[in-house]
Amino acid sequence: VQLQASGGGLEQAGGSLGLSCEVSGRIFYWYSVAWFRQAPGKEREFVAAIRWSGDNRIFANPVKGRSTISRDDAKNSVNLQVNNLKPEDTAVYYCAARPGSYTDDDVDYAYWGPGTLVTVSS
């Protein structure tokens, strides 16, 4: 399974961020996809995940209420949007996949993309 994230870059505080993760190499439908992020000097943390069936989503508290996650099975992709950006959203964002249901623990994900840098200026 290969993952490729896109959409990072320089954003303004208060703006919106759109990230996309394209998954290839296996039957996408059976994989749950999650986003994690790692800020400078900090450990990697969970952001959001969507179940393989698309009927369940979970969000970490720092982004809950201002984020959405969706999947497009026709394009084998998962999209993350974070609104009302804050400087503390600055991080390298990674998408990860696992067969079956999602978790919020990075050790449960075997497949990872290379990450995309998001910088939020104040």
Side-chain angles (χ1 to χ4, degrees), residues 7 11 14-16 19 24-25 31 50-51 64 69 71 76 79 85 89 97 102 104 110 122:
E11 307 287 349
S16 295
L19 298 176
S24 61
Y31 282 76
I50 185 166
R51 194 166 177 261
K64 190 176 295 183
I69 187 170
R71 57 188 294 147
N76 284 8
N79 301 309
L85 287 168
D89 292 320
Y102 54 58
D104 61 1
S122 56

Side-chain angles (χ1 to χ4, degrees), residues 4-115:
Q4 183 63 54
S6 61
L10 179 62
E11 307 287 349
Q12 296 289 324
S16 295
L17 166 69
L19 298 176
S20 182
C21 177
E22 184 174 345
V23 182
S24 61
R26 285 289 189 272
I27 301 175
F28 175 67
Y29 181 76
W30 299 112
Y31 282 76
S32 295
V33 176
W35 288 92
F36 293 83
R37 68 185 183 185
Q38 187 168 19
K42 295 187 177 181
E43 294 187 353
R44 187 162 57 192
E45 65 175 6
F46 172 75
V47 178
I50 185 166
R51 194 166 177 261
W52 62 269
S53 57
D55 59 350
N56 277 299
R57 301 159 175 81
I58 53 172
F59 297 91
N61 286 335
V63 301
K64 190 176 295 183
R66 60 187 180 97
S67 299
T68 61
I69 187 170
S70 61
R71 57 188 294 147
D72 185 340
D73 289 343
K75 296 181 179 180
N76 284 8
S77 65
V78 170
N79 301 309
L80 174 72
Q81 180 164 334
V82 182
N83 302 313
N84 190 22
L85 287 168
K86 306 174 182 179
E88 50 263 43
D89 292 320
T90 295
V92 176
Y93 284 71
Y94 300 88
C95 58
R98 69 186 305 271
S101 192
Y102 54 58
T103 79
D104 61 1
D105 193 336
D106 59 358
V107 300
D108 294 327
Y109 290 83
Y111 306 102
W112 290 82

